[in-house]
Amino acid sequence: MSHPTIRRYFEAFNAGDTEGMLGCLAEDVAHHVNEGAVRVGKDKFRAFCAHMSRCYREELTDMVIFEAEGGTRAAAEFIVNGTYLATDEGLPEARRQTYRLPAGSFFSLEGDKITRVVTYYNLADWMRQVG
């Protein structure tokens, strides 16, 4: 059985509900961005989501959620189905290209709050698809 907080987090993601995602997070959540810096706190997570929503529209499918260590750790594997809406700094020009990309996320939890989110995908694969 998958962790209910992780399910709620991904349901909120697919609904475009940033506040719903934030409701799943601890105040001092550590967000490890793919090939980027660690951002600490809900405010930085909210700013990241606003940026992503401006540049990308994404839906996650083929979701498999794994839970371990008595609910304190979890992972998910999924496919990102996206559209590149607005040019992101340092990346190719956006022309509403679509992409389909395997990805994974790893989580630490305390009670019903996510304290760490780590997401990985193959940036080179994404660049080939939108380039």
Side-chain angles (χ1 to χ4, degrees):
M1 175 158 159
S2 61
H3 198 288
T5 301
I6 303 302
R7 269 198 325 275
R8 278 196 317 276
Y9 174 88
F10 283 120
E11 287 167 359
F13 180 97
N14 275 343
D17 178 8
T18 298
E19 292 305 313
M21 292 170 69
L22 287 163
C24 297
L25 305 179
E27 288 300 323
D28 62 347
V29 63
H31 180 211
H32 299 245
V33 179
N34 190 70
E35 299 189 33
V38 178
R39 299 162 185 249
V40 177
K42 282 185 169 184
D43 286 343
K44 289 186 179 173
F45 189 91
R46 180 182 284 109
F48 176 82
C49 289
H51 169 79
M52 292 297 288
S53 294
R54 185 178 62 77
C55 294
Y56 311 92
R57 183 176 55 245
E58 296 179 332
E59 180 184 8
L60 309 179
T61 60
D62 304 291
M63 176 78 56
V64 179
I65 299 173
F66 308 89
E67 182 180 343
E69 299 181 34
T72 62
R73 305 267 303 272
E77 183 178 17
F78 46 88
I79 301 294
V80 180
N81 303 275
T83 304
Y84 189 24
L85 302 174
T87 302
D88 202 343
E89 186 178 347
L91 297 174
E93 184 180 342
R95 299 181 314 277
R96 300 191 66 79
Q97 305 93 310
T98 59
Y99 52 93
R100 188 169 159 79
L101 197 62
S105 292
F106 301 90
F107 301 91
S108 295
L109 298 108
E110 288 180 16
D112 66 347
K113 296 295 182 187
I114 297 167
T115 58
R116 177 183 61 103
V117 180
V118 182
T119 300
Y120 291 113
Y121 56 88
N122 185 327
L123 182 60
D125 184 8
W126 182 85
M127 298 279 277
R128 277 191 300 278
Q129 291 186 49
V130 302

